[in-house]
């Protein structure tokens, strides 16, 4: 609980800087936006996430999603969320996140040795750049 409380306190302190910021981007991995780390690691929110995710999902995914569902200031501050498809759990998490906040899914190829995989990654990065530029003006 101590770590979760510390994260909430840090987010609350961050609010003081918002007058200088136009957009906040929640990032699971930002052009004129401030990235906010959303991977939690706290144990407390896991039970909340288990209400919508299978219990066998990894604790990192359940903790991060639980923070959103518990109205964590980190998620409350973010205007858009970006999440990679590094595993099936993150794909499912992105679906649930999108029910609460605008969520951009970053398709991550599972290999780097093939030309199609490299082309997919480059296309995803270009699309993310375009989305961020449009979002931040």
């Amino acid at each position: 609980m101590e770590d979760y409380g510390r994260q909430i306190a840090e987010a609350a302190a961050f609010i003081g800087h918002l007058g200088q910021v136009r957009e906040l981007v929640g990032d699971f991995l930002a052009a004129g936006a401030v990235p906010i780390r959303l991977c939690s690691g706290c144990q407390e929110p896991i039970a909340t996430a288990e209400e919508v995710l299978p219990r066998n999902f990894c604790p990192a995914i359940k903790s991060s999603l639980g923070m959103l569902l518990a109205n964590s200031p980190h998620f409350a501050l973010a205007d858009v969320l970006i999440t990679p498809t590094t595993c099936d759990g993150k794909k499912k998490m992105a679906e649930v996140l999108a029910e609460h906040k605008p969520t951009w899914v970053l398709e991550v190829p599972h290999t780097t040795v093939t030309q199609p995989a490299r082309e997919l990654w480059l296309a995803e990065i270009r699309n993310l750049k375009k989305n961020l530029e449009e979002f931040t003006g």
Side-chain angles (χ1 to χ4, degrees):
M1 188 66 164
E2 186 175 305
D3 189 44
Y4 184 59
R6 180 186 52 77
Q7 288 185 0
I8 290 174
E10 288 174 359
F14 182 70
I15 291 171
H17 300 290
L18 292 181
Q20 306 161 16
V21 177
R22 293 185 316 183
E23 291 88 8
L24 294 175
V25 176
D27 177 44
F28 279 99
L29 319 155
V34 176
I36 303 172
R37 182 173 185 252
L38 299 176
C39 289
S40 168
C42 296
Q43 297 296 311
E44 292 84 2
I46 289 176
T48 304
E50 287 178 341
E51 295 173 12
V52 295
L53 291 178
R55 292 180 57 85
N56 64 345
F57 274 40
C58 79
I61 291 171
K62 292 189 290 188
S63 178
S64 296
L65 184 60
M67 296 276 283
L68 167 79
L69 297 174
N71 296 314
S72 161
H74 294 80
F75 282 95
L77 290 171
D79 296 305
V80 67
L81 306 174
I82 303 169
T83 183
T85 60
T86 53
C87 65
D88 289 342
K90 289 248 179 139
K91 290 176 187 178
K92 177 62 179 172
M93 181 179 71
E95 291 174 17
V96 177
L97 291 172
E99 295 172 7
H100 301 273
K101 288 266 187 182
T103 302
W104 301 340
V105 177
L106 187 62
E107 295 290 339
V108 178
H110 294 280
T111 181
T112 60
V113 297
T114 66
Q115 186 64 30
R118 290 189 295 271
E119 290 171 6
L120 169 64
W121 181 242
L122 184 58
E124 287 295 306
I125 294 301
R126 286 181 175 148
N127 190 49
L128 176 62
K129 177 183 180 281
K130 179 180 142 284
N131 287 341
L132 282 168
E133 288 172 346
E134 289 174 3
F135 184 73
T136 60

